[in-house]
């Protein structure tokens, strides 16, 4: 099986803190890839600009982008994060959370510091 990879922006303080907090829970299941690293090369079919817009998780079969990526790695992190991911997948909650995530991502891209 292909190693799953989580692509995150290590230059974003919020993103970096979350990944560092979860690193011990995630690394057995995911390769953590900081896309802000100078040597980073995006996977085929993706650009750095697109990957900077939203978090990406490649599960070996498909690329999850944005909130769906977060839900995958929260489930993999286990514990309370698994419960959070399950709650966030509920239809009404998912729609609101996805809208909030997309609004935050757009705000962040307009040059706001996270």
């Amino acid at each position: 099986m292909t190693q799953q990879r989580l692509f995150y922006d290590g230059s974003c303080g919020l993103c970096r803190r979350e990944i560092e907090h979860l690193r011990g829970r995630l690394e057995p299941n995911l390769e953590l890839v900081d896309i802000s690293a100078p040597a980073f090369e995006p996977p085929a079919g993706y650009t750095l600009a697109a990957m900077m817009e939203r978090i990406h998780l490649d599960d070996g079969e498909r690329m999850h982008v944005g909130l769906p990526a977060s839900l995958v790695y929260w489930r993999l992190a286990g514990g309370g994060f698994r419960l959070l991911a399950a709650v966030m997948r509920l239809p009404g909650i998912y729609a609101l959370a996805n809208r909030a995530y997309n609004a935050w991502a757009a705000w962040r891209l307009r040059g706001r510091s996270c």
Side-chain angles (χ1 to χ4, degrees):
M1 182 172 143
T2 304
Q3 171 75 24
Q4 298 183 90
R5 296 180 296 165
L6 176 62
F7 299 94
Y8 72 98
D9 179 5
S11 69
C12 167
L14 179 64
C15 302
R16 184 179 56 251
R17 281 189 299 277
E18 179 179 9
I19 298 307
E20 289 307 316
H21 176 73
L22 296 175
R23 182 175 292 279
R25 293 172 177 228
L26 295 176
E27 283 186 322
N29 303 304
L30 291 171
E31 175 186 355
L32 302 176
V33 180
D34 179 358
I35 65 173
S36 70
F40 173 71
E41 290 290 329
Y46 293 87
T47 64
L48 178 59
M51 295 189 83
M52 281 289 192
E53 288 180 13
R54 289 173 175 71
I55 197 161
H56 288 63
L57 187 144
D58 180 357
D59 69 7
E61 293 181 19
R62 65 181 272 219
M63 187 73 81
H64 302 268
V65 179
L67 181 63
S70 295
L71 297 179
V72 171
Y73 76 80
W74 289 345
R75 182 183 50 78
L76 291 171
F81 291 97
R82 184 174 297 205
L83 177 60
L84 176 62
V87 169
M88 297 288 270
R89 279 188 167 85
L90 296 172
I93 294 171
Y94 179 85
L96 290 172
N98 197 45
R99 198 170 314 145
Y101 179 96
N102 290 332
W104 175 81
W107 176 82
R108 177 182 174 274
L109 277 180
R110 287 192 300 267
R112 306 323 195 277
S113 174
C114 56

Short mmCIF file of all heavy atoms in Angstrom, two decimals, residues 65-108:
data_model
loop_
_atom_site.label_atom_id
_atom_site.label_comp_id
_atom_site.label_asym_id
_atom_site.label_seq_id
_atom_site.Cartn_x
_atom_site.Cartn_y
_atom_site.Cartn_z
N VAL A 65 -9.11 17.27 -0.18
CA VAL A 65 -8.71 18.68 -0.13
C VAL A 65 -9.64 19.45 0.82
O VAL A 65 -10.86 19.28 0.77
CB VAL A 65 -8.77 19.31 -1.54
CG1 VAL A 65 -8.37 20.79 -1.50
CG2 VAL A 65 -7.88 18.55 -2.51
N GLY A 66 -9.04 20.29 1.66
CA GLY A 66 -9.82 21.13 2.55
C GLY A 66 -10.34 20.35 3.75
O GLY A 66 -9.66 19.49 4.31
N LEU A 67 -11.58 20.64 4.13
CA LEU A 67 -12.18 19.98 5.28
C LEU A 67 -12.15 18.45 5.15
O LEU A 67 -11.83 17.77 6.13
CB LEU A 67 -13.61 20.48 5.53
CG LEU A 67 -14.31 19.86 6.73
CD1 LEU A 67 -13.59 20.20 8.03
CD2 LEU A 67 -15.76 20.30 6.77
N PRO A 68 -12.45 17.88 3.98
CA PRO A 68 -12.37 16.42 3.88
C PRO A 68 -10.99 15.87 4.27
O PRO A 68 -10.90 14.81 4.89
CB PRO A 68 -12.69 16.14 2.41
CG PRO A 68 -13.59 17.27 2.02
CD PRO A 68 -13.01 18.47 2.74
N ALA A 69 -9.92 16.59 3.93
CA ALA A 69 -8.57 16.16 4.33
C ALA A 69 -8.44 16.19 5.85
O ALA A 69 -7.91 15.26 6.45
CB ALA A 69 -7.51 17.05 3.68
N SER A 70 -8.92 17.27 6.46
CA SER A 70 -8.85 17.37 7.92
C SER A 70 -9.62 16.23 8.58
O SER A 70 -9.15 15.65 9.56
CB SER A 70 -9.42 18.72 8.40
OG SER A 70 -8.61 19.77 7.95
N LEU A 71 -10.77 15.90 8.05
CA LEU A 71 -11.57 14.82 8.65
C LEU A 71 -10.84 13.49 8.57
O LEU A 71 -10.93 12.68 9.50
CB LEU A 71 -12.94 14.75 7.97
CG LEU A 71 -13.83 15.99 8.14
CD1 LEU A 71 -15.15 15.80 7.42
CD2 LEU A 71 -14.04 16.32 9.60
N VAL A 72 -10.11 13.26 7.49
CA VAL A 72 -9.34 12.01 7.37
C VAL A 72 -8.24 11.97 8.43
O VAL A 72 -8.09 10.99 9.15
CB VAL A 72 -8.75 11.83 5.95
CG1 VAL A 72 -7.78 10.66 5.92
CG2 VAL A 72 -9.86 11.64 4.93
N TYR A 73 -7.46 13.04 8.56
CA TYR A 73 -6.34 12.96 9.50
C TYR A 73 -6.82 13.06 10.95
O TYR A 73 -6.19 12.48 11.83
CB TYR A 73 -5.19 13.89 9.16
CG TYR A 73 -5.31 15.36 9.43
CD1 TYR A 73 -5.13 15.87 10.71
CD2 TYR A 73 -5.54 16.24 8.39
CE1 TYR A 73 -5.20 17.23 10.94
CE2 TYR A 73 -5.60 17.60 8.62
CZ TYR A 73 -5.44 18.10 9.90
OH TYR A 73 -5.49 19.44 10.12
N TRP A 74 -7.93 13.70 11.23
CA TRP A 74 -8.46 13.69 12.59
C TRP A 74 -8.90 12.27 12.96
O TRP A 74 -8.69 11.83 14.06
CB TRP A 74 -9.63 14.65 12.73
CG TRP A 74 -9.25 16.10 12.70
CD1 TRP A 74 -8.00 16.64 12.85
CD2 TRP A 74 -10.13 17.19 12.50
NE1 TRP A 74 -8.06 18.00 12.75
CE2 TRP A 74 -9.36 18.37 12.54
CE3 TRP A 74 -11.50 17.29 12.28
CZ2 TRP A 74 -9.92 19.64 12.40
CZ3 TRP A 74 -12.05 18.55 12.13
CH2 TRP A 74 -11.26 19.70 12.20
N ARG A 75 -9.53 11.57 12.00
CA ARG A 75 -9.93 10.17 12.27
C ARG A 75 -8.70 9.33 12.55
O ARG A 75 -8.67 8.53 13.48
CB ARG A 75 -10.72 9.61 11.09
CG ARG A 75 -11.21 8.18 11.31
CD ARG A 75 -11.93 7.62 10.09
NE ARG A 75 -11.22 7.77 8.84
CZ ARG A 75 -10.21 7.01 8.44
NH1 ARG A 75 -9.77 6.03 9.22
NH2 ARG A 75 -9.63 7.19 7.27
N LEU A 76 -7.64 9.52 11.76
CA LEU A 76 -6.40 8.75 11.97
C LEU A 76 -5.73 9.10 13.29
O LEU A 76 -5.06 8.25 13.88
CB LEU A 76 -5.43 9.00 10.81
CG LEU A 76 -5.84 8.43 9.46
CD1 LEU A 76 -4.91 8.92 8.36
CD2 LEU A 76 -5.88 6.91 9.50
N ALA A 77 -5.88 10.33 13.76
CA ALA A 77 -5.28 10.75 15.03
C ALA A 77 -5.93 10.04 16.22
O ALA A 77 -5.30 9.87 17.26
CB ALA A 77 -5.38 12.26 15.20
N GLY A 78 -7.16 9.60 16.07
CA GLY A 78 -7.83 8.84 17.12
C GLY A 78 -8.29 9.70 18.28
O GLY A 78 -8.26 10.92 18.24
N GLY A 79 -8.72 9.02 19.34
CA GLY A 79 -9.18 9.70 20.54
C GLY A 79 -10.32 10.66 20.24
O GLY A 79 -11.21 10.37 19.44
N GLY A 80 -10.30 11.80 20.89
CA GLY A 80 -11.33 12.81 20.71
C GLY A 80 -11.40 13.35 19.29
O GLY A 80 -12.44 13.83 18.85
N PHE A 81 -10.27 13.28 18.57
CA PHE A 81 -10.27 13.76 17.19
C PHE A 81 -11.13 12.86 16.30
O PHE A 81 -11.76 13.33 15.37
CB PHE A 81 -8.84 13.84 16.64
CG PHE A 81 -8.05 14.93 17.29
CD1 PHE A 81 -7.20 14.64 18.35
CD2 PHE A 81 -8.17 16.24 16.88
CE1 PHE A 81 -6.47 15.63 18.96
CE2 PHE A 81 -7.45 17.25 17.50
CZ PHE A 81 -6.60 16.94 18.55
N ARG A 82 -11.17 11.58 16.61
CA ARG A 82 -12.02 10.66 15.84
C ARG A 82 -13.49 11.02 16.03
O ARG A 82 -14.27 11.04 15.08
CB ARG A 82 -11.77 9.22 16.27
CG ARG A 82 -12.56 8.21 15.46
CD ARG A 82 -12.15 6.83 15.82
NE ARG A 82 -10.74 6.71 15.45
CZ ARG A 82 -10.12 5.60 15.17
NH1 ARG A 82 -10.77 4.47 15.23
NH2 ARG A 82 -8.86 5.58 14.85
N LEU A 83 -13.86 11.33 17.28
CA LEU A 83 -15.23 11.75 17.57
C LEU A 83 -15.54 13.07 16.87
O LEU A 83 -16.61 13.23 16.27
CB LEU A 83 -15.43 11.89 19.09
CG LEU A 83 -16.80 12.38 19.53
CD1 LEU A 83 -17.90 11.44 19.06
CD2 LEU A 83 -16.84 12.54 21.04
N LEU A 84 -14.62 14.02 16.92
CA LEU A 84 -14.80 15.30 16.24
C LEU A 84 -15.04 15.08 14.75
O LEU A 84 -15.95 15.68 14.16
CB LEU A 84 -13.59 16.20 16.46
CG LEU A 84 -13.59 17.54 15.73
CD1 LEU A 84 -14.75 18.41 16.17
CD2 LEU A 84 -12.26 18.25 15.95
N ALA A 85 -14.25 14.23 14.14
CA ALA A 85 -14.40 13.95 12.71
C ALA A 85 -15.77 13.33 12.43
O ALA A 85 -16.42 13.68 11.44
CB ALA A 85 -13.29 13.03 12.22
N ALA A 86 -16.22 12.43 13.29
CA ALA A 86 -17.53 11.79 13.10
C ALA A 86 -18.65 12.82 13.19
O ALA A 86 -19.58 12.82 12.36
CB ALA A 86 -17.73 10.67 14.12
N VAL A 87 -18.58 13.70 14.16
CA VAL A 87 -19.60 14.74 14.33
C VAL A 87 -19.59 15.69 13.13
O VAL A 87 -20.63 16.06 12.60
CB VAL A 87 -19.40 15.50 15.65
CG1 VAL A 87 -20.28 16.74 15.72
CG2 VAL A 87 -19.68 14.58 16.84
N MET A 88 -18.39 16.06 12.68
CA MET A 88 -18.27 17.00 11.56
C MET A 88 -18.76 16.40 10.25
O MET A 88 -19.05 17.14 9.31
CB MET A 88 -16.80 17.44 11.40
CG MET A 88 -16.27 18.20 12.57
SD MET A 88 -16.93 19.83 12.71
CE MET A 88 -15.75 20.71 11.74
N ARG A 89 -18.88 15.08 10.17
CA ARG A 89 -19.37 14.44 8.95
C ARG A 89 -20.90 14.44 8.87
O ARG A 89 -21.46 14.10 7.82
CB ARG A 89 -18.86 13.00 8.88
CG ARG A 89 -17.46 12.89 8.37
CD ARG A 89 -17.07 11.42 8.15
NE ARG A 89 -15.86 11.32 7.38
CZ ARG A 89 -14.64 11.37 7.88
NH1 ARG A 89 -14.46 11.51 9.18
NH2 ARG A 89 -13.58 11.27 7.11
N LEU A 90 -21.57 14.78 9.96
CA LEU A 90 -23.04 14.82 9.93
C LEU A 90 -23.49 15.87 8.92
O LEU A 90 -22.91 16.96 8.87
CB LEU A 90 -23.59 15.11 11.32
CG LEU A 90 -23.30 14.04 12.37
CD1 LEU A 90 -23.73 14.52 13.75
CD2 LEU A 90 -24.00 12.73 12.01
N PRO A 91 -24.49 15.55 8.10
CA PRO A 91 -24.85 16.40 6.96
C PRO A 91 -24.96 17.90 7.25
O PRO A 91 -24.31 18.70 6.60
CB PRO A 91 -26.17 15.81 6.47
CG PRO A 91 -26.09 14.37 6.87
CD PRO A 91 -25.34 14.36 8.19
N GLY A 92 -25.78 18.32 8.17
CA GLY A 92 -25.94 19.75 8.44
C GLY A 92 -24.68 20.38 9.00
O GLY A 92 -24.28 21.48 8.60
N ILE A 93 -24.02 19.68 9.88
CA ILE A 93 -22.79 20.18 10.48
C ILE A 93 -21.69 20.25 9.42
O ILE A 93 -20.93 21.22 9.36
CB ILE A 93 -22.37 19.32 11.69
CG1 ILE A 93 -23.42 19.48 12.80
CG2 ILE A 93 -20.98 19.69 12.19
CD1 ILE A 93 -23.24 18.54 13.97
N TYR A 94 -21.60 19.22 8.58
CA TYR A 94 -20.58 19.21 7.53
C TYR A 94 -20.73 20.43 6.62
O TYR A 94 -19.75 21.10 6.30
CB TYR A 94 -20.65 17.92 6.70
CG TYR A 94 -19.63 17.91 5.59
CD1 TYR A 94 -18.34 17.47 5.84
CD2 TYR A 94 -19.93 18.39 4.32
CE1 TYR A 94 -17.37 17.48 4.85
CE2 TYR A 94 -18.98 18.41 3.33
CZ TYR A 94 -17.70 17.96 3.59
OH TYR A 94 -16.75 17.99 2.61
N ALA A 95 -21.95 20.73 6.19
CA ALA A 95 -22.17 21.87 5.29
C ALA A 95 -21.71 23.17 5.94
O ALA A 95 -21.03 23.98 5.29
CB ALA A 95 -23.65 21.96 4.90
N LEU A 96 -22.04 23.38 7.19
CA LEU A 96 -21.62 24.61 7.89
C LEU A 96 -20.11 24.64 8.10
O LEU A 96 -19.47 25.67 7.88
CB LEU A 96 -22.33 24.71 9.24
CG LEU A 96 -23.82 25.01 9.19
CD1 LEU A 96 -24.43 24.90 10.59
CD2 LEU A 96 -24.08 26.38 8.58
N ALA A 97 -19.54 23.52 8.51
CA ALA A 97 -18.09 23.46 8.76
C ALA A 97 -17.31 23.66 7.46
O ALA A 97 -16.29 24.34 7.45
CB ALA A 97 -17.72 22.13 9.41
N ASN A 98 -17.79 23.08 6.38
CA ASN A 98 -17.12 23.23 5.09
C ASN A 98 -17.17 24.69 4.63
O ASN A 98 -16.18 25.23 4.14
CB ASN A 98 -17.74 22.30 4.05
CG ASN A 98 -16.84 22.12 2.85
OD1 ASN A 98 -15.64 21.93 2.98
ND2 ASN A 98 -17.43 22.19 1.66
N ARG A 99 -18.31 25.33 4.81
CA ARG A 99 -18.45 26.75 4.46
C ARG A 99 -17.49 27.58 5.30
O ARG A 99 -16.81 28.48 4.79
CB ARG A 99 -19.89 27.20 4.67
CG ARG A 99 -20.21 28.48 3.95
CD ARG A 99 -21.69 28.81 3.94
NE ARG A 99 -22.50 27.65 3.60
CZ ARG A 99 -23.70 27.40 4.11
NH1 ARG A 99 -24.23 28.21 4.98
NH2 ARG A 99 -24.37 26.33 3.75
N ALA A 100 -17.40 27.29 6.60
CA ALA A 100 -16.49 28.03 7.49
C ALA A 100 -15.03 27.79 7.08
O ALA A 100 -14.23 28.74 7.05
CB ALA A 100 -16.73 27.62 8.94
N TYR A 101 -14.68 26.55 6.78
CA TYR A 101 -13.31 26.24 6.36
C TYR A 101 -12.96 27.01 5.10
O TYR A 101 -11.89 27.61 4.99
CB TYR A 101 -13.12 24.73 6.13
CG TYR A 101 -11.72 24.40 5.68
CD1 TYR A 101 -10.77 23.99 6.60
CD2 TYR A 101 -11.33 24.52 4.36
CE1 TYR A 101 -9.46 23.71 6.20
CE2 TYR A 101 -10.04 24.25 3.95
CZ TYR A 101 -9.11 23.84 4.88
OH TYR A 101 -7.83 23.58 4.47
N ASN A 102 -13.85 27.00 4.11
CA ASN A 102 -13.58 27.68 2.85
C ASN A 102 -13.46 29.19 3.04
O ASN A 102 -12.63 29.83 2.39
CB ASN A 102 -14.65 27.33 1.81
CG ASN A 102 -14.53 25.89 1.35
OD1 ASN A 102 -13.45 25.30 1.37
ND2 ASN A 102 -15.64 25.30 0.96
N ALA A 103 -14.27 29.76 3.92
CA ALA A 103 -14.18 31.19 4.21
C ALA A 103 -12.84 31.51 4.87
O ALA A 103 -12.17 32.49 4.52
CB ALA A 103 -15.34 31.64 5.11
N TRP A 104 -12.41 30.67 5.82
CA TRP A 104 -11.12 30.87 6.48
C TRP A 104 -9.98 30.75 5.46
O TRP A 104 -9.05 31.56 5.45
CB TRP A 104 -10.92 29.85 7.61
CG TRP A 104 -9.57 29.95 8.22
CD1 TRP A 104 -9.14 30.84 9.17
CD2 TRP A 104 -8.43 29.14 7.90
NE1 TRP A 104 -7.81 30.62 9.45
CE2 TRP A 104 -7.35 29.59 8.70
CE3 TRP A 104 -8.22 28.08 7.03
CZ2 TRP A 104 -6.08 29.01 8.64
CZ3 TRP A 104 -6.96 27.51 6.97
CH2 TRP A 104 -5.90 27.97 7.77
N ALA A 105 -10.05 29.76 4.58
CA ALA A 105 -9.00 29.56 3.57
C ALA A 105 -8.92 30.78 2.65
O ALA A 105 -7.82 31.23 2.31
CB ALA A 105 -9.26 28.28 2.77
N ALA A 106 -10.06 31.32 2.24
CA ALA A 106 -10.07 32.50 1.37
C ALA A 106 -9.49 33.70 2.11
O ALA A 106 -8.72 34.48 1.53
CB ALA A 106 -11.49 32.79 0.89
N TRP A 107 -9.84 33.87 3.38
CA TRP A 107 -9.33 34.97 4.20
C TRP A 107 -7.80 34.86 4.33
O TRP A 107 -7.09 35.84 4.17
CB TRP A 107 -10.01 34.91 5.56
CG TRP A 107 -9.52 35.93 6.54
CD1 TRP A 107 -9.89 37.23 6.64
CD2 TRP A 107 -8.57 35.71 7.60
NE1 TRP A 107 -9.24 37.83 7.67
CE2 TRP A 107 -8.42 36.93 8.29
CE3 TRP A 107 -7.84 34.59 8.02
CZ2 TRP A 107 -7.56 37.05 9.37
CZ3 TRP A 107 -6.98 34.73 9.11
CH2 TRP A 107 -6.86 35.96 9.76
N ARG A 108 -7.34 33.65 4.59
CA ARG A 108 -5.90 33.40 4.74
C ARG A 108 -5.15 33.73 3.45
O ARG A 108 -4.07 34.31 3.47
CB ARG A 108 -5.69 31.94 5.13
CG ARG A 108 -4.26 31.50 5.26
CD ARG A 108 -4.24 30.00 5.60
NE ARG A 108 -2.91 29.48 5.60
CZ ARG A 108 -2.24 29.02 4.55
NH1 ARG A 108 -2.81 29.00 3.37
NH2 ARG A 108 -1.04 28.54 4.67
#
